[in-house]
Amino acid sequence: MPSLPPQPPIEPPEATLGAAPAPLPFGWLTGALLCAFGIWMLPSVVMVFLAHTRSDVTVSELLTLLALTGVSAAVLRLTLGFWLQAGFGRALVFWALLLLMLVSLVVAGLLAFGAASGASLAGLSVLVGLGGGGMAALSGPGVPTDDETQYELETASLVGHLGMVATLLVVPYALLWPLVGMPGTPLLSGASHFLGRVEVGAPVWLGWSGVLWAGVCGVLVTAWYVIGRGGVPLRVPQWPRALLTVGLGLLVSALGAAVILPVSLGGIAAGVPVEVVLPVLLALCVLISLGLAPAAQRHRVTQLLAHRHLWIMSALWVASLGTFLGLTLVFPLLTSMLFRLPGEEGAGYPGVFLYAWMLPMAAILMRPLGSWAARRWGGVRVAASAMLVLALGAGWLFGVLARIGESAYPPDEFAGYMLGMVGLFSASGLSHAALVQALPKVFPPLLRPGASVWLMSVATLGMAYIPLALVRALKNEAVQQAFLGFGLYYFLCALVAGALYLRRHASIYNP
């Protein structure tokens, strides 16, 4: 019997998407993510100091500007995240750092030269989304990875979140340094930094918020080129599609900004509920991703969207990671609004930036505990328990904020307010870490990278929904109503998780 000719090896499904990307250098990736998340959090500081230095913007307008940061980050994280699955080179870290440095310089220019217009501030909020959205997608692997690589990526993302803490800790203090050739802006009300209060009338230089991170990015770019390049070419595969993806992502973000913003900030004041705007933006991002993706990846994305557990896990990730991101963004401005008192009456209040950095740090420190508990008792069980704590914390804050609204001296309620916020931050960090451990047990290997991109992007919308929910509550002069809605959502998520994953005969039991 004649022997058959040798057959070529069958290529795995991943080969249809191009060659597997070389792993990004862990140390440089960590530095890029640190800068990305730090730049992403700049509006959280800038909007508070705008409230202290300008009388022509309201708290509702500043909260709306903060929401644009979340919209832009979610859109760019989704579109760029799917692009990164098709392959990238190690030089991507260099270009990411260079892009972040340019974004920081634009931010510095917008804030350093006088009072920026409403449209300029909206552009600033959209632009910094490149940090937390586009660049944060670097931490999502393009192909299934081994445990060691996945651990490195999770560690890099965790260290990246420390960039948010660094911004809240360092930038408010740096704004007191004179910026050569630029006039300072006097404070109309007392501000603060991590060392204490800043009195009324003291000058601040808002341009430092961009200059500081531009300097860090510049140092890392130089170091990578001199030390870390190691003969790696600077060309990034498929870079024209990357530029097109970034441009379309920013275009969708600008469209969302136009619908969300009031007329006073350059929007069209369409009055469309945020619960409608955000899903429409996500749908546009999916269409962009499908239109730019090769056929094999397009098929995999449609498989992912048809997976029923994707939508259940999306709700849980919004409750966990979305809460952490959204509260980190709005906590300084919300707290400043609630407890800032006019004139000398506020002398006993230390100021929000003395402690604002501590709460996201508490959430970050809870993540190792959440991962350990998930491995011991199951990810969904731990996450559902944490969401009950989130519901209790939101209910507690509902009561505290109602008392603040009726109090003649709001700082009397400060201890109760901080207790509720510590509970929300800690429980959000715990639940997010537990859900990360559950993800590989819910999705098959080929869908895990896409599921990670989708869930991270949807969770980032918490940075848009939380400030916009506060704006809606402020229109009714009852900010506590927002936390009542948050508490109900957390409770429903805990019930859904228990009903679908914690029954003995569930299709996936306690992942």
Side-chain angles (χ1 to χ4, degrees):
M1 182 175 179
S3 61
L4 295 175
Q7 300 294 319
I10 298 175
E11 292 184 344
E14 288 83 351
T16 60
L17 298 181
L24 291 172
F26 173 68
W28 300 107
L29 173 62
T30 302
L33 290 175
L34 187 75
C35 293
F37 280 89
I39 293 166
W40 190 21
M41 198 47 51
L42 284 177
S44 183
V45 175
V46 169
M47 300 308 164
V48 173
F49 275 87
L50 287 178
H52 288 310
T53 57
R54 293 177 60 169
S55 58
D56 59 334
V57 288
T58 65
V59 172
S60 293
E61 290 174 338
L62 294 175
L63 284 169
T64 305
L65 290 169
L66 286 179
L68 301 186
T69 303
V71 169
S72 174
V75 167
L76 290 164
R77 179 175 277 196
L78 185 59
T79 52
L80 277 175
F82 282 126
W83 168 72
L84 287 171
Q85 290 188 77
F88 47 80
R90 294 182 62 187
L92 192 60
V93 172
F94 172 83
W95 293 109
L97 285 167
L98 190 62
L99 181 60
L100 290 172
M101 183 173 68
L102 294 176
V103 168
S104 302
L105 291 174
V106 171
V107 170
L110 287 174
L111 296 173
F113 299 98
S117 65
S120 298
L121 293 175
L124 181 153
S125 297
V126 169
L127 195 59
V128 297
L130 275 169
M135 299 305 107
L138 292 172
S139 61
V143 293
T145 55
D146 55 32
D147 290 341
E148 181 180 356
T149 305
Q150 185 62 35
Y151 175 78
E152 288 186 350
L153 289 169
E154 290 176 6
T155 303
S157 180
L158 187 70
V159 174
H161 281 151
L162 292 176
M164 303 166 73
V165 176
T167 288
L168 295 173
L169 183 64
V170 177
V171 171
Y173 183 72
L175 299 186
L176 299 177
W177 307 340
L179 195 57
V180 178
M182 302 296 171
T185 305
L187 292 171
L188 303 179
S189 57
S192 61
H193 50 73
F194 75 101
L195 293 177
R197 285 176 57 84
V198 183
E199 298 303 323
V200 177
V204 292
W205 287 263
L206 297 180
W208 271 113
S209 55
V211 171
L212 201 65
W213 279 112
V216 176
C217 291
V219 170
L220 288 177
V221 165
T222 305
W224 189 93
Y225 192 83
V226 174
I227 303 171
R229 183 179 178 184
V232 176
L234 294 182
R235 184 178 179 274
V236 175
Q238 305 182 42
W239 64 267
R241 189 156 70 94
L243 292 179
L244 179 60
T245 303
V246 171
L248 291 175
L250 290 175
L251 183 62
V252 172
S253 302
L255 176 63
V259 175
I260 291 170
L261 286 173
V263 175
S264 59
L265 293 176
I268 60 176
V272 182
V274 61
E275 291 84 0
V276 175
V277 174
L278 298 183
V280 168
L281 294 178
L282 277 182
L284 289 175
C285 292
V286 170
L287 291 176
I288 290 172
S289 299
L290 292 176
L292 296 178
Q297 186 179 351
R298 196 157 49 239
H299 175 67
R300 191 169 301 175
V301 172
T302 54
Q303 276 186 314
L304 175 67
L305 296 177
H307 200 291
R308 70 185 181 95
H309 291 286
L310 179 73
W311 305 99
I312 300 166
M313 295 298 289
S314 294
L316 302 182
W317 278 62
V318 169
S320 57
L321 179 60
T323 295
F324 165 70
L325 295 174
L327 287 182
T328 302
L329 184 69
V330 304
F331 176 80
L333 183 59
L334 175 64
T335 307
S336 178
M337 175 195 73
L338 292 173
F339 295 102
R340 186 180 64 187
L341 294 174
E344 296 300 321
E345 296 180 41
Y349 172 58
V352 65
F353 289 116
L354 186 67
Y355 49 82
W357 61 274
M358 300 178 186
L359 298 182
M361 178 63 80
I364 292 171
L365 293 177
M366 289 298 290
R367 291 186 187 177
L369 177 61
S371 298
W372 171 82
R375 289 191 293 268
R376 184 175 178 85
W377 292 295
V380 169
R381 179 173 290 151
V382 173
S385 302
M387 286 175 192
L388 290 176
V389 176
L390 283 169
L392 291 174
W396 173 274
L397 283 170
F398 170 77
V400 171
L401 293 175
R403 292 196 299 272
I404 289 175
E406 299 171 355
S407 174
Y409 189 71
D412 286 341
E413 304 291 341
F414 181 71
Y417 172 79
M418 286 297 295
L419 179 63
M421 282 293 181
V422 169
L424 288 183
F425 273 93
S426 300
S428 65
L430 191 72
S431 58
H432 173 54
L435 289 173
V436 169
Q437 296 296 318
L439 188 146
K441 302 175 185 177
V442 174
F443 298 98
L446 290 180
L447 295 184
R448 285 174 199 163
S452 177
V453 169
W454 174 270
L455 293 173
M456 289 285 190
S457 304
V458 172
T460 305
L461 288 177
M463 295 182 74
Y465 186 80
I466 288 179
L468 291 177
L470 291 172
V471 170
R472 186 162 54 193
L474 283 172
K475 290 180 180 177
N476 300 325
E477 297 183 355
V479 69
Q480 69 271 15
Q481 290 179 356
F483 284 88
L484 183 62
F486 300 158
L488 179 61
Y489 179 74
Y490 300 141
F491 182 69
L492 290 176
C493 284
L495 286 183
V496 169
L500 294 177
Y501 296 114
L502 300 182
R503 292 180 296 108
R504 285 292 178 183
H505 300 291
S507 59
I508 302 175
Y509 176 67
N510 192 24

